[in-house]
Amino acid sequence: MSRGKESDGGWKKFVWDSEKKEFLGRTGSSWLKILAFYVVFYGFLAGIFIGTIQVLLLTTSSYKPTYQDRVAPPGLSHTPKTLKAEIEFTHDDPKTYEEYINAMDKFLLKYNLENQKDGLLFEDCEPKPSIPVMRGSLDQSHGGKRVCRFNREWLGNCSGLHDKTYGYSEGKPCFIVKINRIVSYLPQPPQTNDSIPPEAHERVQPNLIPIHCAAKKEEDKDKLGQVNYFGMNNTGGFPLQYYPYYGKLLQPQYLQPLVAVQFTNLTVGSELRIECKAYGENIKYNDKDRYQGRFEVKILVKVR
């Protein structure tokens, strides 16, 4: 019992020694010195860190990325987009494609002309594919940059203005395709038709980045049926006058050019994997990134 009491008393004495006025083995002045030391020490480290960040910020621009030499070519994406890039629906059951319709409605809302009326933000560009529109340097020396209007009507059967179901109610689904934004990026149209499938040659023209969708598997080509493309001037590609993009600070209202793709004769009951590609001199593909310059989607029109 005496040993237990002595051990207990030793522990209590270590926590607070009333004779020496020590807490955890140190006096108040000792604790104050340690606290002051660490306040100064960590304050010095924080000052070095903040100073380093400030110096770094002086070398960068809020408008232009400093280093773009390792930026990959742009990705190609589509709406509606599902988690596994799989679209399944029954054309006579609206509930099976309701989420796709809602996604397209939400995406295309900003392309309504009533949202592009402000003449200080938007302007009418050439009604057919033309050269890029250069709008000055990537800074605010000339203020914000206007952007080209994009008429939703150009998307034809896939605009959602005439057919509110975007073809899904008829088993003819639509996709809206866009090139992802990269500041200052200027896509270059293909110089030859060598890399472009023969079926897409008719859509090749100056100042346009064409796209083409085809069955991923050779045996599925006959099941894909006819594919229709809608866009500016009824072209199946992205016109260059919408480039370059100047970033969110200078062009917060920027609208990417769109291409609508409609599959009008899919084989019902067959699961089809479809690949869509954009073609250009500086658009590359990467097997490790299925959205770099292309995308794949699996479509199944079910039978009730």
Side-chain angles (χ1 to χ4, degrees):
M1 292 293 291
S2 60
R3 287 186 178 180
K5 290 182 178 180
E6 289 177 5
S7 176
D8 184 53
W11 178 81
K12 289 182 177 179
K13 189 173 184 179
F14 172 72
V15 174
W16 172 247
D17 190 336
S18 58
E19 295 178 2
K20 298 180 180 180
K21 306 298 182 182
E22 291 180 348
F23 176 69
L24 296 178
R26 292 184 179 275
T27 63
S29 60
S30 177
W31 280 114
L32 186 61
K33 291 176 183 178
I34 290 178
L35 178 63
F37 170 79
Y38 280 108
V39 168
V40 173
F41 176 71
Y42 284 113
F44 179 72
L45 291 182
I48 292 178
F49 176 75
I50 294 173
T52 302
I53 295 299
Q54 291 297 322
V55 171
L56 177 63
L57 292 177
L58 291 175
T59 66
T60 61
S61 170
S62 300
Y63 302 97
K64 179 181 179 181
T66 304
Y67 303 106
Q68 284 188 292
D69 54 322
R70 293 192 178 184
V71 175
L76 195 68
S77 56
H78 63 88
T79 300
K81 186 176 182 180
T82 59
L83 184 61
K84 295 183 179 180
E86 297 179 355
I87 302 293
E88 297 182 1
F89 68 98
T90 305
H91 71 87
D92 56 355
D93 184 0
K95 291 184 179 179
T96 62
Y97 54 80
E98 182 180 10
E99 64 173 302
Y100 309 142
I101 303 306
N102 291 339
M104 296 181 77
D105 283 340
K106 182 179 179 181
F107 176 75
L108 289 174
L109 184 62
K110 57 181 175 290
Y111 285 86
N112 291 339
L113 286 182
E114 61 263 27
N115 296 325
Q116 305 177 49
K117 290 182 178 180
D118 192 336
L120 297 177
L121 301 177
F122 299 92
E123 66 177 340
D124 290 322
C125 297
E126 288 290 333
K128 61 181 181 179
S130 59
I131 62 174
V133 178
M134 309 306 295
R135 303 179 187 274
S137 58
L138 269 171
D139 55 43
Q140 214 167 13
S141 58
H142 297 90
K145 315 290 185 183
R146 292 200 295 176
V147 300
C148 294
R149 291 185 175 93
F150 190 94
N151 193 337
R152 184 172 172 176
E153 285 276 2
W154 295 339
L155 300 179
N157 297 343
C158 299
S159 67
L161 299 176
H162 311 294
D163 179 4
K164 299 298 183 181
T165 69
Y166 300 93
Y168 284 84
S169 62
E170 299 177 353
K172 302 176 180 180
C174 288
F175 288 88
I176 306 299
V177 185
K178 62 183 176 67
I179 295 178
N180 294 342
R181 303 176 184 184
I182 295 181
V183 176
S184 294
Y185 176 73
L186 278 174
Q188 300 172 8
Q191 299 298 315
T192 67
N193 291 341
D194 296 342
S195 62
I196 303 175
E199 300 86 353
H201 286 179
E202 63 180 11
R203 292 192 298 279
V204 177
Q205 57 180 285
N207 303 313
L208 187 79
I209 301 296
I211 72 167
H212 180 68
C213 298
K216 185 70 174 176
K217 298 179 180 179
E218 188 69 28
E219 58 268 25
D220 289 340
K221 285 188 175 181
D222 293 336
K223 299 178 183 179
L224 181 61
Q226 183 176 345
V227 182
N228 293 334
Y229 301 85
F230 304 95
M232 171 186 277
N233 200 32
N234 203 29
T235 58
F238 306 100
L240 296 189
Q241 61 261 47
Y242 289 85
Y243 302 94
Y245 169 53
Y246 283 83
K248 287 186 176 181
L249 291 180
L250 295 176
Q251 289 183 322
Q253 74 284 5
Y254 177 74
L255 297 176
Q256 293 148 283
L258 305 176
V259 174
V261 182
Q262 184 176 32
F263 305 97
T264 62
N265 193 24
L266 294 171
T267 300
V268 177
S270 293
E271 187 178 81
L272 302 176
R273 181 166 291 280
I274 299 169
E275 181 182 61
C276 296
K277 283 185 174 182
Y279 295 90
E281 291 298 310
N282 56 350
I283 295 179
K284 309 297 180 184
Y285 315 109
N286 189 334
D287 291 336
K288 297 181 180 179
D289 185 352
R290 62 181 181 177
Y291 286 100
Q292 184 173 308
R294 64 188 179 96
F295 69 82
E296 292 182 15
V297 62
K298 188 185 296 183
I299 302 180
L300 173 60
V301 182
K302 296 181 179 179
V303 180
R304 175 177 284 191

